[in-house]
Amino acid sequence: MKNYRINAVMAGALYFLGTAFGITSAIVGGKVLSSIVSIKPLSGLDLLNLVASNSSQLTGGAFFILLMGISLVMMTVFLYPIFRKDSEELAMGMLLFRGALEGSWYTITMLNLLLMVALGNEYIGTGANSAALQS
C-alpha cells in the first residue's frame, strides 16, 4: 500500500510539473510560439523572419515543451502499478496511448520548432529573397 501512495504522489507532482512546464513554454516562447501552436496563426507577417528574430525564445519554449512531455510520460509510468491492480489491459493501454503517443507528440512538436528555428536562421543567412528557400 505504501508504494501505491508514493506512486500517486509522484504522478500528481509530475502532472503538476507538466502543466507548469506547458504554461512556461507559452510564456517563454512568446507570441510566436503561441501563434504557431494555437488555432489563430499570425497572418500577414513574414513568419520565417519572425521566427529567426525570436529564435532564442522559441528554443526556450521548445525546451519547456520537451520537459512537459517527459514529465507527463513519466506520470503514466508511476500510474501504471496503481491502475494495474484493477485491470492490466487498461493500465497497459493508458501507458501506451497516454504515455507513448503523448510523449511522441511532444517530441515531434519540439523537433518541429527547432527545425523551424534552423530554417528561419538559414532564411536570414541566405537573404530573405533567396531563390533556394522560396520553394
Side-chain angles (χ1 to χ4, degrees):
M1 186 61 132
K2 188 174 182 179
N3 285 339
Y4 292 137
R5 188 171 296 150
I6 292 170
N7 283 355
V9 168
M10 286 299 297
L14 287 168
Y15 187 78
F16 176 76
L17 279 174
T19 304
F21 287 142
I23 293 169
T24 306
S25 72
I27 293 170
V28 170
K31 67 176 183 176
V32 179
L33 179 63
S34 297
S35 70
I36 291 171
V37 297
S38 72
I39 298 172
K40 300 176 185 176
L42 296 173
S43 61
L45 298 172
D46 186 7
L47 187 62
L48 287 178
N49 193 14
L50 191 62
V51 165
S53 64
N54 296 310
S55 63
S56 61
Q57 286 182 326
L58 287 174
T59 304
F63 174 71
F64 282 110
I65 287 174
L66 179 66
L67 290 178
M68 177 176 58
I70 290 171
S71 64
L72 292 177
V73 167
M74 289 306 298
M75 177 196 68
T76 61
V77 172
F78 280 103
L79 285 176
Y80 177 75
I82 297 170
F83 291 162
R84 186 182 62 197
K85 69 180 179 180
D86 291 330
S87 172
E88 178 107 24
E89 294 81 14
L90 289 176
M92 185 58 71
M94 189 240 352
L95 187 67
L96 291 174
F97 287 104
R98 176 76 196 249
L101 290 179
E102 187 175 17
S104 299
W105 177 258
Y106 288 127
T107 303
I108 289 169
T109 302
M110 184 259 322
L111 289 174
N112 282 335
L113 283 172
L114 293 178
L115 285 172
M116 187 177 279
V117 167
L119 183 62
N121 290 336
E122 187 72 23
Y123 179 71
I124 295 299
T126 59
N129 295 325
S130 175
L133 294 176
Q134 289 285 326
S135 61

